[in-house]
Amino acid sequence: MKMRSKMKIDHILFALALTPCIALPAGAGEQQVQSGGEMVVTASRMEQQSIDVPITTQVITRDQIEMSGARDVGDLIGKYITGHFHKFNGLLSPVGLRGFRSDSHGSDLNGYVLILIDGHRTGTGNAAKINLDRIERVEVVKGPSSALYGSAAMGGVINLITKTGDGPLGGSITGEYGSFDYYKGQVSTGGEVSDTFRFFITASIDEIGDYSDPTFGTVYNSGIERKEIGGNVVYTFSDRHEVRLGGNYSDLYSESPSWRNWITYSAHDPNARQNSDKSIGYADLEYNGEFLDGKLHWKALAYYLYDKNHWFWGFPDPDSSQTKYIDKTIGTDHQFTWRMTSWNTLLVGFTIESLEKESSGTENFQPSTPLTPGLDYDNQALFIQDSMDLFDNRVNLIAAARYDRFDVTTKRAKTGTYADFNERSETYDRISPKFGIGVKFLDEMLRVRANIGDGFKSPTADQLSADYVDVRSGVRFLGNPDLDPETSRTFDIGFDVYHSDLSLTVSYFHTDWKDKIVRESLVNNGQGITTYTNHGDATIAGFEIGAEWILGQTFNLPFDASLWSNMAFNTEKEDEQTGEDLLYISDYEVKSGLNLGYAGVRAQLSHVLVGSQMITNFDTFMNEEKGTFSFWDLTVRYRFAGSWEINGSILNLFDQEVEWARGYIMPERNYRIGLTWNF
């Protein structure tokens, strides 16, 4: 106990020591952040300078992505953004913002944080499925964003903005090799073919075998294979009209390790064979046009999303028992931006989406009933936003609201036997407002801001309308048509300081979470019934602090150097009905680092510290505290001979035990090295 306490004290002292050099999560080492002039689009659905958007917006740039050592979006968020990222084996990584997370199994509509790609849903809440090769930057909006993006945006929105081939025509070929038989091959090409046509296309394949953790050795059956291809083609008709056609497909295979005799922390089972076949894909068509001498802008999106999760969990033969879910979504999103005056811009738009979930199962090589039946979602939404820049752009106001209507249906699964299955439908609607204000002082060196807004999460179709009996268990699953959506109201206040070599941001947020939906088990006339109910309220509150110190400018160094860090302290996280801490919200997080650059060399030393949290121990089904953990990573990149670049990473530099989720210990210290030829 004394050793654990000392370790916690050391961690906190380290965090406090870095407080003067805490970076905006938007920058994490990028010197452009300190000016406050970075262009962002997600928070207001319009391209604006970040200092003119009073909503907390953070950006991960392409340079940060390259220096992160991350292989997917989940790892990237876990390194730079506070909010408690979760990571399991088998390509499963829900991401968190302000105490809310995306769905653990990947359903984007069943989560509390929404992941977008180029402004529309990705079709998944599992960030491990999304590779980084096509991502130009990541914009993160913390706080409820349902006023513009609808359901599942209670904690915020993560928007992945893809490469479109800006710049000269060229390409690259990359090969990487590393620990645990890791390898990756990638080919990319793109650029501006003419004044009217540009493109970017990339394809890659990578694989890694069973890894080892620092405590128990080889984690058997933990390998991963990824095959991915995607890109964008952009055609510019004129300086006022442009069309983009984009898409991506990822074929993902992952294995699932287990503990010997299913006893956590016993030893990894060398006979484990369970695995999963996951794939995700999308295609989208985007039009941007300007009318009325540029005063009116029309952005139109049409998209198709595909998300498959296929688990093979039989024992001893994994093929003997399977569960498969396939989500298909068709949607369109349109927004019209009218610059009414030099200081007032009105945005109106609508979204129409239709999602169909197909479910099937196999048990002992026979068709069986999956855990979730088939589902249909139809969503229609209208949104409006007024943005005002007053007093010579010293005061920025944003007011927004969105109306959502849902039609949800529970459908019979493609396999299995049900008794008394009724395909029921339910309809409900929701209005979500938001308001923000920012005021600048001292020639934009200081900004004070405040926001208040509502978020909501739609009940799932089975929570609302299920009505069937599972013949295996005899349990009746009965939806509750009187369920209300889960809602939140958050206010946050804060200030930002922008100096020539130091930036600082401080925020306080307070969230009232209402009408949480929980599963409820009942017995009626001797029959077990599973249903759902709105179960009480909760409060989440805390501080977020960030800054970046450009050491090279302060001390007139002959090389680039910056210190950065992102901090979050959750001062309140209480279930008001039980009086206990909410689960899976850490007490604090600190994500920090040092960036260096000289000539063709760039280096980043980063540190992640995650505080203790309350979790459920699924061995005992009792709640307990999970302790603090931390790790260091080092990445170096060197460009030479004009067109060649070598990169190397040492991940988990000091060989620490890293466990984002209980029982899922991440790899020991491991290495990667790669070579890229740019042409």
Side-chain angles (χ1 to χ4, degrees):
M1 290 296 292
K2 289 183 179 179
M3 184 176 294
R4 177 176 290 272
S5 299
K6 184 179 186 301
M7 182 166 54
K8 288 184 178 180
I9 292 171
D10 289 345
H11 286 155
I12 294 172
L13 288 174
F14 175 83
L16 293 176
L18 283 176
T19 300
C21 50
I22 307 170
L24 286 165
E30 278 292 295
Q31 297 188 18
Q32 61 186 4
V33 175
Q34 52 88 26
S35 69
E38 192 164 27
M39 300 301 291
V40 295
V41 297
T42 309
S44 64
R45 277 182 171 252
M46 302 183 299
E47 188 173 90
Q48 292 180 280
Q49 289 190 352
S50 57
I51 197 171
D52 296 334
V53 183
I55 300 165
T56 305
T57 304
Q58 306 165 0
V59 178
I60 304 174
T61 66
R62 184 63 210 173
D63 182 68
Q64 295 166 262
I65 293 172
E66 292 177 350
M67 298 304 296
S68 68
R71 296 174 63 211
D72 57 54
V73 170
D75 288 343
L76 184 75
I77 298 299
K79 173 160 288 190
Y80 290 132
I81 303 297
T82 58
H84 196 68
F85 163 65
H86 238 49
K87 183 172 183 176
F88 304 89
N89 295 115
L91 288 175
L92 190 57
S93 298
V95 290
L97 298 172
R98 289 189 173 178
F100 295 99
R101 285 201 316 280
S102 57
D103 177 61
S104 293
H105 292 287
S107 172
D108 63 338
L109 288 176
N110 200 29
Y112 301 86
V113 170
L114 184 59
I115 304 177
L116 308 175
I117 190 159
D118 290 324
H120 62 75
R121 293 177 183 268
T122 59
T124 184
N126 180 6
K129 280 188 166 185
I130 309 170
N131 83 327
L132 294 168
D133 298 334
R134 295 184 56 230
I135 307 303
E136 180 64 28
R137 71 182 191 276
V138 181
E139 295 186 1
V140 180
V141 180
K142 286 193 173 184
S145 301
S146 295
L148 291 178
Y149 294 103
S151 179
M154 289 174 65
V157 169
I158 299 170
N159 190 11
L160 314 172
I161 298 172
T162 60
K163 299 179 180 180
T164 56
D166 297 325
L169 189 65
S172 64
I173 299 174
T174 298
E176 294 182 355
Y177 180 77
S179 302
F180 318 125
D181 297 324
Y182 167 75
Y183 72 86
K184 178 178 180 178
Q186 179 188 351
V187 177
S188 302
T189 185
E192 299 171 358
V193 178
S194 66
D195 291 340
T196 60
F197 180 74
R198 68 184 189 274
F199 73 98
F200 178 81
I201 298 174
T202 185
S204 65
I205 179 171
D206 68 84
E207 182 176 340
I208 190 168
D210 293 347
Y211 69 81
S212 297
D213 71 39
T215 306
F216 295 91
T218 301
V219 183
Y220 301 101
N221 204 54
S222 59
I224 293 172
E225 297 177 14
R226 311 177 69 127
K227 301 174 184 176
E228 303 177 277
I229 186 170
N232 284 307
V233 176
V234 181
Y235 182 71
T236 304
F237 296 94
S238 68
D239 59 352
R240 297 191 177 220
H241 300 279
E242 185 175 87
V243 172
R244 178 187 62 83
L245 176 64
N248 193 87
Y249 181 75
S250 301
D251 183 20
L252 312 169
Y253 169 83
S254 60
E255 298 173 334
S256 301
S258 62
W259 295 100
R260 185 170 294 171
N261 301 319
W262 312 106
I263 300 174
T264 308
Y265 307 125
S266 53
H268 295 295
D269 186 353
N271 299 313
R273 297 178 58 199
Q274 287 72 30
N275 58 78
S276 63
D277 175 17
K278 300 176 181 179
S279 58
I280 184 171
Y282 79 90
D284 61 9
L285 180 65
E286 177 182 341
Y287 165 76
N288 283 278
E290 291 186 352
F291 306 87
L292 303 178
D293 293 326
K295 292 182 178 179
L296 180 66
H297 181 268
W298 175 26
K299 177 183 178 181
L301 268 172
Y303 48 92
Y304 170 79
L305 315 176
Y306 175 87
D307 185 41
K308 181 181 77 171
N309 293 285
H310 191 178
W311 291 280
F312 300 82
W313 49 273
F315 185 83
D317 185 347
D319 290 340
S320 64
S321 297
Q322 307 174 26
T323 301
K324 180 165 68 174
Y325 299 116
I326 297 177
D327 290 357
K328 300 176 183 178
T329 302
I330 297 177
T332 185
D333 183 279
H334 297 255
Q335 66 181 54
F336 302 87
T337 306
W338 178 22
R339 190 168 179 81
M340 296 187 292
T341 68
S342 61
W343 53 269
N344 193 7
T345 303
L346 183 68
L347 182 146
V348 296
F350 65 90
T351 303
I352 301 173
E353 284 186 333
S354 179
L355 181 150
E356 179 183 8
K357 177 184 286 289
E358 298 177 355
S359 58
S360 60
T362 301
E363 192 165 353
N364 296 323
F365 295 106
Q366 299 298 317
S368 68
T369 306
L371 294 176
T372 302
L375 309 171
D376 277 354
Y377 291 85
D378 291 304
N379 174 220
Q380 305 89 39
L382 298 171
F383 54 87
I384 184 170
Q385 175 185 266
D386 194 14
S387 176
M388 292 179 282
D389 303 319
L390 307 175
F391 304 108
D392 197 23
N393 201 30
R394 289 185 176 88
V395 177
N396 306 109
L397 300 173
I398 284 184
R402 174 169 166 139
Y403 169 79
D404 280 274
R405 182 183 187 274
F406 283 87
D407 299 284
V408 297
T409 304
T410 303
K411 302 177 69 175
R412 183 186 292 269
K414 298 183 72 173
T415 61
T417 303
Y418 296 95
D420 303 325
F421 194 105
N422 297 313
E423 293 191 351
R424 293 198 306 163
S425 298
E426 297 293 340
T427 301
Y428 79 92
D429 55 11
R430 181 74 189 174
I431 296 176
S432 306
K434 187 167 188 175
F435 176 78
I437 180 171
V439 183
K440 303 165 190 166
F441 301 94
L442 304 175
D443 196 24
E444 298 191 352
M445 288 180 59
L446 171 66
R447 179 179 67 162
V448 179
R449 52 186 159 72
N451 291 276
I452 185 168
D454 288 358
F456 81 98
K457 186 189 83 69
S458 167
T460 62
D462 53 331
Q463 289 172 343
L464 281 169
S465 60
D467 187 1
Y468 61 91
V469 175
D470 185 342
V471 296
R472 294 175 301 179
S473 63
V475 173
R476 186 176 196 88
F477 288 83
L478 188 62
N480 179 2
D482 296 324
L483 276 180
D484 293 321
E486 297 185 55
T487 63
S488 68
R489 174 160 294 172
T490 299
F491 74 84
D492 65 68
I493 57 175
F495 66 88
D496 309 302
V497 177
Y498 303 104
H499 191 260
S500 60
D501 53 3
L502 179 68
S503 61
L504 173 70
T505 180
V506 178
S507 302
Y508 171 79
F509 70 92
H510 183 281
T511 299
D512 291 317
W513 183 4
K514 304 289 186 183
D515 297 321
K516 293 192 302 170
I517 296 175
V518 298
R519 179 179 289 194
E520 187 176 44
S521 297
L522 308 171
V523 177
N524 185 21
N525 295 326
Q527 182 184 42
I529 296 176
T530 293
T531 187
Y532 300 87
T533 185
N534 292 111
H535 177 78
D537 306 328
T539 301
I540 306 173
F543 290 90
E544 296 168 337
I545 308 172
E548 180 184 18
W549 185 11
I550 311 300
L551 298 170
Q553 292 182 198
T554 302
F555 299 106
N556 196 27
L557 299 175
F559 54 88
D560 295 331
S562 62
L563 278 167
W564 56 267
S565 177
N566 310 311
M567 283 188 177
F569 299 92
N570 294 303
T571 58
E572 192 172 357
K573 43 179 179 173
E574 181 182 3
D575 186 314
E576 294 182 7
Q577 183 160 339
T578 65
E580 298 178 352
D581 276 358
L582 293 170
L583 302 179
Y584 308 109
I585 303 177
S586 52
D587 294 334
Y588 56 86
E589 293 182 45
V590 184
K591 301 180 178 182
S592 314
L594 170 67
N595 279 24
L596 300 171
Y598 181 76
V601 180
R602 293 179 294 157
Q604 176 176 278
L605 175 66
S606 61
H607 177 252
V608 172
L609 166 64
V610 178
S612 59
Q613 61 189 279
M614 293 300 296
I615 65 164
T616 297
N617 181 334
F618 286 106
D619 294 334
T620 63
F621 290 93
M622 300 291 290
N623 293 343
E624 63 181 39
E625 184 180 73
K626 178 181 175 293
T628 300
F629 70 91
S630 70
F631 63 92
W632 297 78
D633 290 341
L634 174 65
T635 297
V636 179
R637 302 182 74 94
Y638 173 52
R639 186 145 191 168
F640 62 97
S643 59
W644 292 88
E645 185 173 47
I646 187 169
N647 69 84
S649 295
I650 307 176
L651 306 175
N652 195 4
L653 182 63
F654 297 110
D655 206 20
Q656 297 170 277
E657 188 174 287
V658 178
E659 193 179 35
W660 292 99
R662 180 184 181 274
Y664 297 87
I665 304 175
M666 295 294 107
E668 64 185 5
R669 178 171 51 242
N670 59 100
Y671 309 85
R672 288 186 208 147
I673 189 168
L675 182 65
T676 299
W677 175 47
N678 299 288
F679 57 88

